[in-house]
PDB file of all heavy atoms in Angstrom:
ATOM      1  N   SER A   1     214.991 -41.666  25.883  1.00 98.00           N
ATOM      2  CA  SER A   1     215.796 -41.448  27.091  1.00 98.00           C
ATOM      3  C   SER A   1     215.151 -42.415  28.175  1.00 98.00           C
ATOM      4  O   SER A   1     214.001 -42.425  28.291  1.00 98.00           O
ATOM      5  CB  SER A   1     215.872 -40.037  27.606  1.00 98.00           C
ATOM      6  OG  SER A   1     214.675 -39.633  28.175  1.00 98.00           O
ATOM      7  N   GLY A   2     215.989 -43.082  28.874  1.00 97.00           N
ATOM      8  CA  GLY A   2     215.511 -43.951  29.923  1.00 97.00           C
ATOM      9  C   GLY A   2     216.014 -43.554  31.319  1.00 97.00           C
ATOM     10  O   GLY A   2     217.266 -43.614  31.611  1.00 97.00           O
ATOM     11  N   SER A   3     215.187 -43.074  32.147  1.00 95.00           N
ATOM     12  CA  SER A   3     215.436 -42.604  33.495  1.00 95.00           C
ATOM     13  C   SER A   3     216.574 -41.483  33.546  1.00 95.00           C
ATOM     14  O   SER A   3     217.538 -41.590  34.300  1.00 95.00           O
ATOM     15  CB  SER A   3     215.826 -43.786  34.378  1.00 95.00           C
ATOM     16  OG  SER A   3     214.672 -44.679  34.566  1.00 95.00           O
ATOM     17  N   LEU A   4     216.539 -40.535  32.587  1.00 95.00           N
ATOM     18  CA  LEU A   4     217.562 -39.459  32.558  1.00 95.00           C
ATOM     19  C   LEU A   4     216.978 -38.169  33.179  1.00 95.00           C
ATOM     20  O   LEU A   4     217.672 -37.556  33.986  1.00 95.00           O
ATOM     21  CB  LEU A   4     217.847 -39.273  31.055  1.00 95.00           C
ATOM     22  CG  LEU A   4     218.537 -37.931  30.804  1.00 95.00           C
ATOM     23  CD1 LEU A   4     219.946 -37.993  31.387  1.00 95.00           C
ATOM     24  CD2 LEU A   4     218.595 -37.506  29.389  1.00 95.00           C
ATOM     25  N   LEU A   5     215.760 -37.825  32.895  1.00 96.00           N
ATOM     26  CA  LEU A   5     215.247 -36.493  33.221  1.00 96.00           C
ATOM     27  C   LEU A   5     215.203 -36.188  34.670  1.00 96.00           C
ATOM     28  O   LEU A   5     215.460 -34.991  35.001  1.00 96.00           O
ATOM     29  CB  LEU A   5     213.799 -36.341  32.639  1.00 96.00           C
ATOM     30  CG  LEU A   5     213.598 -36.302  31.184  1.00 96.00           C
ATOM     31  CD1 LEU A   5     212.247 -36.116  30.719  1.00 96.00           C
ATOM     32  CD2 LEU A   5     214.579 -35.485  30.338  1.00 96.00           C
ATOM     33  N   HIS A   6     214.970 -37.121  35.514  1.00 95.00           N
ATOM     34  CA  HIS A   6     214.954 -36.836  36.938  1.00 95.00           C
ATOM     35  C   HIS A   6     216.293 -36.567  37.518  1.00 95.00           C
ATOM     36  O   HIS A   6     216.317 -36.086  38.745  1.00 95.00           O
ATOM     37  CB  HIS A   6     214.171 -37.984  37.745  1.00 95.00           C
ATOM     38  CG  HIS A   6     214.865 -39.241  37.857  1.00 95.00           C
ATOM     39  ND1 HIS A   6     215.042 -40.233  36.851  1.00 95.00           N
ATOM     40  CD2 HIS A   6     215.704 -39.753  38.831  1.00 95.00           C
ATOM     41  CE1 HIS A   6     215.763 -41.220  37.248  1.00 95.00           C
ATOM     42  NE2 HIS A   6     216.103 -40.929  38.492  1.00 95.00           N
ATOM     43  N   HIS A   7     217.324 -36.802  36.831  1.00 93.00           N
ATOM     44  CA  HIS A   7     218.687 -36.458  37.231  1.00 93.00           C
ATOM     45  C   HIS A   7     219.049 -35.068  36.796  1.00 93.00           C
ATOM     46  O   HIS A   7     220.198 -34.584  37.181  1.00 93.00           O
ATOM     47  CB  HIS A   7     219.645 -37.446  36.686  1.00 93.00           C
ATOM     48  CG  HIS A   7     219.622 -38.757  37.294  1.00 93.00           C
ATOM     49  ND1 HIS A   7     219.887 -39.132  38.619  1.00 93.00           N
ATOM     50  CD2 HIS A   7     219.267 -39.964  36.706  1.00 93.00           C
ATOM     51  CE1 HIS A   7     219.697 -40.380  38.769  1.00 93.00           C
ATOM     52  NE2 HIS A   7     219.306 -40.944  37.697  1.00 93.00           N
ATOM     53  N   LEU A   8     218.300 -34.374  35.998  1.00 94.00           N
ATOM     54  CA  LEU A   8     218.631 -33.119  35.410  1.00 94.00           C
ATOM     55  C   LEU A   8     217.941 -31.985  36.014  1.00 94.00           C
ATOM     56  O   LEU A   8     216.854 -32.077  36.616  1.00 94.00           O
ATOM     57  CB  LEU A   8     218.220 -33.099  33.847  1.00 94.00           C
ATOM     58  CG  LEU A   8     218.842 -34.182  33.040  1.00 94.00           C
ATOM     59  CD1 LEU A   8     218.321 -34.049  31.576  1.00 94.00           C
ATOM     60  CD2 LEU A   8     220.331 -34.140  33.001  1.00 94.00           C
ATOM     61  N   GLU A   9     218.664 -30.814  36.124  1.00 92.00           N
ATOM     62  CA  GLU A   9     218.095 -29.644  36.690  1.00 92.00           C
ATOM     63  C   GLU A   9     217.107 -28.956  35.756  1.00 92.00           C
ATOM     64  O   GLU A   9     216.353 -28.139  36.186  1.00 92.00           O
ATOM     65  CB  GLU A   9     219.245 -28.728  37.166  1.00 92.00           C
ATOM     66  CG  GLU A   9     220.039 -29.325  38.297  1.00 92.00           C
ATOM     67  CD  GLU A   9     221.171 -28.436  38.778  1.00 92.00           C
ATOM     68  OE1 GLU A   9     221.440 -27.405  38.055  1.00 92.00           O
ATOM     69  OE2 GLU A   9     221.832 -28.724  39.796  1.00 92.00           O
ATOM     70  N   ARG A  10     217.237 -29.191  34.489  1.00 95.00           N
ATOM     71  CA  ARG A  10     216.562 -28.485  33.407  1.00 95.00           C
ATOM     72  C   ARG A  10     215.947 -29.579  32.544  1.00 95.00           C
ATOM     73  O   ARG A  10     216.364 -29.635  31.288  1.00 95.00           O
ATOM     74  CB  ARG A  10     217.338 -27.533  32.663  1.00 95.00           C
ATOM     75  CG  ARG A  10     217.865 -26.345  33.497  1.00 95.00           C
ATOM     76  CD  ARG A  10     218.656 -25.305  32.697  1.00 95.00           C
ATOM     77  NE  ARG A  10     219.994 -25.720  32.402  1.00 95.00           N
ATOM     78  CZ  ARG A  10     220.377 -25.819  31.208  1.00 95.00           C
ATOM     79  NH1 ARG A  10     219.658 -25.580  30.111  1.00 95.00           N
ATOM     80  NH2 ARG A  10     221.660 -26.182  30.972  1.00 95.00           N
ATOM     81  N   PRO A  11     215.026 -30.403  32.959  1.00 96.00           N
ATOM     82  CA  PRO A  11     214.484 -31.407  32.081  1.00 96.00           C
ATOM     83  C   PRO A  11     213.808 -30.906  30.835  1.00 96.00           C
ATOM     84  O   PRO A  11     213.802 -31.603  29.810  1.00 96.00           O
ATOM     85  CB  PRO A  11     213.616 -32.174  32.983  1.00 96.00           C
ATOM     86  CG  PRO A  11     213.229 -31.278  34.054  1.00 96.00           C
ATOM     87  CD  PRO A  11     214.441 -30.441  34.287  1.00 96.00           C
ATOM     88  N   VAL A  12     213.072 -29.876  30.918  1.00 97.00           N
ATOM     89  CA  VAL A  12     212.457 -29.378  29.732  1.00 97.00           C
ATOM     90  C   VAL A  12     213.286 -29.008  28.689  1.00 97.00           C
ATOM     91  O   VAL A  12     213.129 -29.326  27.498  1.00 97.00           O
ATOM     92  CB  VAL A  12     211.499 -28.097  30.117  1.00 97.00           C
ATOM     93  CG1 VAL A  12     210.857 -27.465  28.924  1.00 97.00           C
ATOM     94  CG2 VAL A  12     210.390 -28.570  31.115  1.00 97.00           C
ATOM     95  N   ASP A  13     214.457 -28.384  29.005  1.00 97.00           N
ATOM     96  CA  ASP A  13     215.494 -28.033  27.966  1.00 97.00           C
ATOM     97  C   ASP A  13     216.027 -29.225  27.317  1.00 97.00           C
ATOM     98  O   ASP A  13     216.153 -29.264  26.169  1.00 97.00           O
ATOM     99  CB  ASP A  13     216.641 -27.257  28.661  1.00 97.00           C
ATOM    100  CG  ASP A  13     216.287 -25.806  29.082  1.00 97.00           C
ATOM    101  OD1 ASP A  13     215.179 -25.376  28.624  1.00 97.00           O
ATOM    102  OD2 ASP A  13     217.087 -25.224  29.866  1.00 97.00           O
ATOM    103  N   ALA A  14     216.159 -30.412  28.066  1.00 97.00           N
ATOM    104  CA  ALA A  14     216.682 -31.602  27.502  1.00 97.00           C
ATOM    105  C   ALA A  14     215.640 -32.214  26.508  1.00 97.00           C
ATOM    106  O   ALA A  14     215.939 -32.626  25.468  1.00 97.00           O
ATOM    107  CB  ALA A  14     216.996 -32.548  28.560  1.00 97.00           C
ATOM    108  N   LEU A  15     214.317 -32.145  26.943  1.00 98.00           N
ATOM    109  CA  LEU A  15     213.234 -32.584  26.052  1.00 98.00           C
ATOM    110  C   LEU A  15     213.071 -31.762  24.824  1.00 98.00           C
ATOM    111  O   LEU A  15     212.878 -32.324  23.721  1.00 98.00           O
ATOM    112  CB  LEU A  15     211.939 -32.602  26.788  1.00 98.00           C
ATOM    113  CG  LEU A  15     211.512 -33.758  27.689  1.00 98.00           C
ATOM    114  CD1 LEU A  15     210.215 -33.515  28.264  1.00 98.00           C
ATOM    115  CD2 LEU A  15     211.441 -34.965  26.771  1.00 98.00           C
ATOM    116  N   ARG A  16     213.400 -30.508  24.875  1.00 98.00           N
ATOM    117  CA  ARG A  16     213.292 -29.685  23.701  1.00 98.00           C
ATOM    118  C   ARG A  16     214.433 -30.053  22.729  1.00 98.00           C
ATOM    119  O   ARG A  16     214.216 -30.020  21.486  1.00 98.00           O
ATOM    120  CB  ARG A  16     213.373 -28.228  24.100  1.00 98.00           C
ATOM    121  CG  ARG A  16     212.177 -27.607  24.753  1.00 98.00           C
ATOM    122  CD  ARG A  16     212.366 -26.162  25.223  1.00 98.00           C
ATOM    123  NE  ARG A  16     211.100 -25.721  25.783  1.00 98.00           N
ATOM    124  CZ  ARG A  16     211.068 -24.845  26.724  1.00 98.00           C
ATOM    125  NH1 ARG A  16     212.194 -24.291  27.324  1.00 98.00           N
ATOM    126  NH2 ARG A  16     209.880 -24.368  27.298  1.00 98.00           N
ATOM    127  N   GLU A  17     215.615 -30.331  23.241  1.00 98.00           N
ATOM    128  CA  GLU A  17     216.753 -30.778  22.412  1.00 98.00           C
ATOM    129  C   GLU A  17     216.369 -32.148  21.759  1.00 98.00           C
ATOM    130  O   GLU A  17     216.671 -32.355  20.602  1.00 98.00           O
ATOM    131  CB  GLU A  17     218.041 -30.912  23.272  1.00 98.00           C
ATOM    132  CG  GLU A  17     218.767 -29.791  23.296  1.00 98.00           C
ATOM    133  CD  GLU A  17     219.516 -29.383  21.969  1.00 98.00           C
ATOM    134  OE1 GLU A  17     220.561 -29.940  21.654  1.00 98.00           O
ATOM    135  OE2 GLU A  17     218.859 -28.567  21.217  1.00 98.00           O
ATOM    136  N   MET A  18     215.777 -33.017  22.496  1.00 98.00           N
ATOM    137  CA  MET A  18     215.308 -34.272  21.977  1.00 98.00           C
ATOM    138  C   MET A  18     214.434 -34.100  20.806  1.00 98.00           C
ATOM    139  O   MET A  18     214.412 -34.731  19.740  1.00 98.00           O
ATOM    140  CB  MET A  18     214.723 -35.160  23.029  1.00 98.00           C
ATOM    141  CG  MET A  18     215.782 -35.606  24.104  1.00 98.00           C
ATOM    142  SD  MET A  18     215.084 -36.444  25.530  1.00 98.00           S
ATOM    143  CE  MET A  18     214.430 -37.962  24.787  1.00 98.00           C
ATOM    144  N   ARG A  19     213.363 -33.210  21.060  1.00 98.00           N
ATOM    145  CA  ARG A  19     212.433 -32.928  20.009  1.00 98.00           C
ATOM    146  C   ARG A  19     213.110 -32.339  18.755  1.00 98.00           C
ATOM    147  O   ARG A  19     212.728 -32.684  17.587  1.00 98.00           O
ATOM    148  CB  ARG A  19     211.330 -31.912  20.587  1.00 98.00           C
ATOM    149  CG  ARG A  19     210.355 -31.438  19.426  1.00 98.00           C
ATOM    150  CD  ARG A  19     209.219 -30.602  20.119  1.00 98.00           C
ATOM    151  NE  ARG A  19     209.791 -29.339  20.690  1.00 98.00           N
ATOM    152  CZ  ARG A  19     210.059 -28.191  19.988  1.00 98.00           C
ATOM    153  NH1 ARG A  19     209.867 -28.221  18.697  1.00 98.00           N
ATOM    154  NH2 ARG A  19     210.487 -27.183  20.657  1.00 98.00           N
ATOM    155  N   ARG A  20     214.034 -31.470  18.963  1.00 98.00           N
ATOM    156  CA  ARG A  20     214.821 -30.875  17.918  1.00 98.00           C
ATOM    157  C   ARG A  20     215.430 -31.796  16.878  1.00 98.00           C
ATOM    158  O   ARG A  20     215.382 -31.618  15.716  1.00 98.00           O
ATOM    159  CB  ARG A  20     215.856 -29.848  18.399  1.00 98.00           C
ATOM    160  CG  ARG A  20     216.731 -29.113  17.291  1.00 98.00           C
ATOM    161  CD  ARG A  20     217.813 -28.301  17.864  1.00 98.00           C
ATOM    162  NE  ARG A  20     218.928 -29.102  18.575  1.00 98.00           N
ATOM    163  CZ  ARG A  20     219.791 -29.755  17.841  1.00 98.00           C
ATOM    164  NH1 ARG A  20     219.856 -29.745  16.528  1.00 98.00           N
ATOM    165  NH2 ARG A  20     220.831 -30.331  18.563  1.00 98.00           N
ATOM    166  N   VAL A  21     216.022 -32.919  17.422  1.00 98.00           N
ATOM    167  CA  VAL A  21     216.758 -33.849  16.635  1.00 98.00           C
ATOM    168  C   VAL A  21     215.953 -34.967  16.181  1.00 98.00           C
ATOM    169  O   VAL A  21     216.352 -35.893  15.454  1.00 98.00           O
ATOM    170  CB  VAL A  21     218.061 -34.282  17.259  1.00 98.00           C
ATOM    171  CG1 VAL A  21     218.962 -33.166  17.522  1.00 98.00           C
ATOM    172  CG2 VAL A  21     217.751 -35.146  18.529  1.00 98.00           C
ATOM    173  N   ALA A  22     214.652 -35.020  16.597  1.00 98.00           N
ATOM    174  CA  ALA A  22     213.795 -36.204  16.244  1.00 98.00           C
ATOM    175  C   ALA A  22     212.917 -35.867  15.059  1.00 98.00           C
ATOM    176  O   ALA A  22     212.201 -34.764  15.046  1.00 98.00           O
ATOM    177  CB  ALA A  22     212.976 -36.541  17.494  1.00 98.00           C
ATOM    178  N   ARG A  23     212.795 -36.715  14.114  1.00 98.00           N
ATOM    179  CA  ARG A  23     211.879 -36.581  13.023  1.00 98.00           C
ATOM    180  C   ARG A  23     210.512 -36.993  13.249  1.00 98.00           C
ATOM    181  O   ARG A  23     209.586 -36.317  12.777  1.00 98.00           O
ATOM    182  CB  ARG A  23     212.516 -37.302  11.727  1.00 98.00           C
ATOM    183  CG  ARG A  23     213.606 -36.652  10.975  1.00 98.00           C
ATOM    184  CD  ARG A  23     213.882 -37.340   9.715  1.00 98.00           C
ATOM    185  NE  ARG A  23     214.477 -38.720   9.947  1.00 98.00           N
ATOM    186  CZ  ARG A  23     215.823 -38.923  10.055  1.00 98.00           C
ATOM    187  NH1 ARG A  23     216.671 -37.993   9.983  1.00 98.00           N
ATOM    188  NH2 ARG A  23     216.258 -40.161  10.232  1.00 98.00           N
ATOM    189  N   SER A  24     210.348 -38.155  13.979  1.00 98.00           N
ATOM    190  CA  SER A  24     208.984 -38.669  14.069  1.00 98.00           C
ATOM    191  C   SER A  24     208.540 -39.062  15.455  1.00 98.00           C
ATOM    192  O   SER A  24     207.387 -39.234  15.808  1.00 98.00           O
ATOM    193  CB  SER A  24     208.784 -39.779  13.142  1.00 98.00           C
ATOM    194  OG  SER A  24     209.740 -40.904  13.392  1.00 98.00           O
ATOM    195  N   GLY A  25     209.482 -39.377  16.451  1.00 98.00           N
ATOM    196  CA  GLY A  25     209.115 -39.858  17.722  1.00 98.00           C
ATOM    197  C   GLY A  25     210.069 -39.531  18.887  1.00 98.00           C
ATOM    198  O   GLY A  25     211.255 -39.470  18.594  1.00 98.00           O
ATOM    199  N   VAL A  26     209.516 -39.202  20.049  1.00 98.00           N
ATOM    200  CA  VAL A  26     210.290 -39.143  21.207  1.00 98.00           C
ATOM    201  C   VAL A  26     209.748 -40.081  22.236  1.00 98.00           C
ATOM    202  O   VAL A  26     208.551 -40.152  22.514  1.00 98.00           O
ATOM    203  CB  VAL A  26     210.211 -37.642  21.763  1.00 98.00           C
ATOM    204  CG1 VAL A  26     210.861 -37.630  23.113  1.00 98.00           C
ATOM    205  CG2 VAL A  26     210.816 -36.720  20.759  1.00 98.00           C
ATOM    206  N   ALA A  27     210.598 -40.887  22.839  1.00 98.00           N
ATOM    207  CA  ALA A  27     210.201 -42.049  23.768  1.00 98.00           C
ATOM    208  C   ALA A  27     210.988 -41.791  25.085  1.00 98.00           C
ATOM    209  O   ALA A  27     212.159 -41.661  25.071  1.00 98.00           O
ATOM    210  CB  ALA A  27     210.509 -43.398  23.193  1.00 98.00           C
ATOM    211  N   VAL A  28     210.183 -41.718  26.148  1.00 98.00           N
ATOM    212  CA  VAL A  28     210.878 -41.361  27.501  1.00 98.00           C
ATOM    213  C   VAL A  28     210.253 -42.290  28.600  1.00 98.00           C
ATOM    214  O   VAL A  28     209.123 -42.576  28.575  1.00 98.00           O
ATOM    215  CB  VAL A  28     210.512 -39.882  27.837  1.00 98.00           C
ATOM    216  CG1 VAL A  28     211.099 -39.543  29.285  1.00 98.00           C
ATOM    217  CG2 VAL A  28     211.036 -38.958  26.817  1.00 98.00           C
ATOM    218  N   ILE A  29     211.265 -42.749  29.389  1.00 98.00           N
ATOM    219  CA  ILE A  29     210.902 -43.533  30.581  1.00 98.00           C
ATOM    220  C   ILE A  29     211.324 -42.813  31.813  1.00 98.00           C
ATOM    221  O   ILE A  29     212.553 -42.340  31.881  1.00 98.00           O
ATOM    222  CB  ILE A  29     211.620 -44.939  30.551  1.00 98.00           C
ATOM    223  CG1 ILE A  29     211.168 -45.704  29.318  1.00 98.00           C
ATOM    224  CG2 ILE A  29     211.318 -45.764  31.771  1.00 98.00           C
ATOM    225  CD1 ILE A  29     211.893 -47.031  29.118  1.00 98.00           C
ATOM    226  N   GLU A  30     210.520 -42.647  32.878  1.00 98.00           N
ATOM    227  CA  GLU A  30     210.913 -42.074  34.137  1.00 98.00           C
ATOM    228  C   GLU A  30     210.322 -42.886  35.297  1.00 98.00           C
ATOM    229  O   GLU A  30     209.252 -43.469  35.023  1.00 98.00           O
ATOM    230  CB  GLU A  30     210.505 -40.647  34.159  1.00 98.00           C
ATOM    231  CG  GLU A  30     211.309 -39.636  33.356  1.00 98.00           C
ATOM    232  CD  GLU A  30     212.814 -39.536  33.726  1.00 98.00           C
ATOM    233  OE1 GLU A  30     213.054 -39.685  34.999  1.00 98.00           O
ATOM    234  OE2 GLU A  30     213.658 -39.488  32.832  1.00 98.00           O
ATOM    235  N   PRO A  31     210.928 -42.787  36.429  1.00 96.00           N
ATOM    236  CA  PRO A  31     210.354 -43.478  37.650  1.00 96.00           C
ATOM    237  C   PRO A  31     209.024 -42.934  37.969  1.00 96.00           C
ATOM    238  O   PRO A  31     208.784 -41.781  37.758  1.00 96.00           O
ATOM    239  CB  PRO A  31     211.381 -43.364  38.699  1.00 96.00           C
ATOM    240  CG  PRO A  31     212.709 -43.004  37.927  1.00 96.00           C
ATOM    241  CD  PRO A  31     212.205 -42.245  36.698  1.00 96.00           C
ATOM    242  N   ASN A  32     208.166 -43.834  38.560  1.00 97.00           N
ATOM    243  CA  ASN A  32     206.857 -43.378  38.903  1.00 97.00           C
ATOM    244  C   ASN A  32     206.806 -43.132  40.467  1.00 97.00           C
ATOM    245  O   ASN A  32     206.904 -44.085  41.281  1.00 97.00           O
ATOM    246  CB  ASN A  32     205.799 -44.465  38.597  1.00 97.00           C
ATOM    247  CG  ASN A  32     204.365 -44.215  39.148  1.00 97.00           C
ATOM    248  OD1 ASN A  32     204.046 -43.068  39.441  1.00 97.00           O
ATOM    249  ND2 ASN A  32     203.683 -45.284  39.229  1.00 97.00           N
ATOM    250  N   ARG A  33     206.699 -41.950  40.844  1.00 96.00           N
ATOM    251  CA  ARG A  33     206.685 -41.527  42.285  1.00 96.00           C
ATOM    252  C   ARG A  33     205.503 -42.194  43.154  1.00 96.00           C
ATOM    253  O   ARG A  33     205.638 -42.277  44.328  1.00 96.00           O
ATOM    254  CB  ARG A  33     206.695 -40.117  42.528  1.00 96.00           C
ATOM    255  CG  ARG A  33     205.362 -39.463  42.226  1.00 96.00           C
ATOM    256  CD  ARG A  33     205.373 -37.991  42.414  1.00 96.00           C
ATOM    257  NE  ARG A  33     204.043 -37.321  42.191  1.00 96.00           N
ATOM    258  CZ  ARG A  33     203.846 -36.057  41.966  1.00 96.00           C
ATOM    259  NH1 ARG A  33     204.947 -35.235  42.036  1.00 96.00           N
ATOM    260  NH2 ARG A  33     202.689 -35.509  41.768  1.00 96.00           N
ATOM    261  N   ASN A  34     204.496 -42.612  42.319  1.00 95.00           N
ATOM    262  CA  ASN A  34     203.361 -43.148  43.038  1.00 95.00           C
ATOM    263  C   ASN A  34     203.421 -44.736  43.235  1.00 95.00           C
ATOM    264  O   ASN A  34     202.519 -45.383  43.773  1.00 95.00           O
ATOM    265  CB  ASN A  34     202.064 -42.869  42.247  1.00 95.00           C
ATOM    266  CG  ASN A  34     201.755 -41.356  42.323  1.00 95.00           C
ATOM    267  OD1 ASN A  34     201.926 -40.725  43.324  1.00 95.00           O
ATOM    268  ND2 ASN A  34     201.387 -40.828  41.165  1.00 95.00           N
ATOM    269  N   HIS A  35     204.540 -45.214  42.853  1.00 93.00           N
ATOM    270  CA  HIS A  35     204.889 -46.684  43.084  1.00 93.00           C
ATOM    271  C   HIS A  35     205.667 -46.768  44.424  1.00 93.00           C
ATOM    272  O   HIS A  35     206.787 -46.194  44.513  1.00 93.00           O
ATOM    273  CB  HIS A  35     205.805 -47.216  41.948  1.00 93.00           C
ATOM    274  CG  HIS A  35     206.095 -48.642  42.067  1.00 93.00           C
ATOM    275  ND1 HIS A  35     205.172 -49.640  41.773  1.00 93.00           N
ATOM    276  CD2 HIS A  35     207.239 -49.241  42.341  1.00 93.00           C
ATOM    277  CE1 HIS A  35     205.793 -50.867  41.893  1.00 93.00           C
ATOM    278  NE2 HIS A  35     207.013 -50.592  42.360  1.00 93.00           N
ATOM    279  N   PRO A  36     205.109 -47.338  45.520  1.00 92.00           N
ATOM    280  CA  PRO A  36     205.716 -47.177  46.798  1.00 92.00           C
ATOM    281  C   PRO A  36     207.189 -47.543  46.919  1.00 92.00           C
ATOM    282  O   PRO A  36     207.902 -46.756  47.464  1.00 92.00           O
ATOM    283  CB  PRO A  36     204.796 -48.041  47.658  1.00 92.00           C
ATOM    284  CG  PRO A  36     203.515 -48.016  47.041  1.00 92.00           C
ATOM    285  CD  PRO A  36     203.797 -47.953  45.489  1.00 92.00           C
TER     286      PRO A  36
END
């Protein structure tokens, strides 16, 4: 997923679903709040 989780109200639930359907890897990109 690319820049998805920060738009969701339940990001952990989405990550659990991603883990459920993944055999070997989960790759996630999110914005960095510490980048001004």
Side-chain angles (χ1 to χ4, degrees):
S1 74
S3 294
L4 166 69
L5 298 182
H6 72 277
H7 292 292
L8 302 180
E9 296 180 348
R10 297 184 282 120
V12 173
D13 289 346
L15 270 179
R16 286 174 179 150
E17 270 292 273
M18 292 170 65
R19 176 174 60 86
R20 179 183 67 79
V21 302
R23 282 192 290 271
S24 60
V26 174
V28 176
I29 300 171
E30 285 298 323
N32 173 22
R33 71 181 182 196
N34 295 317
H35 182 75

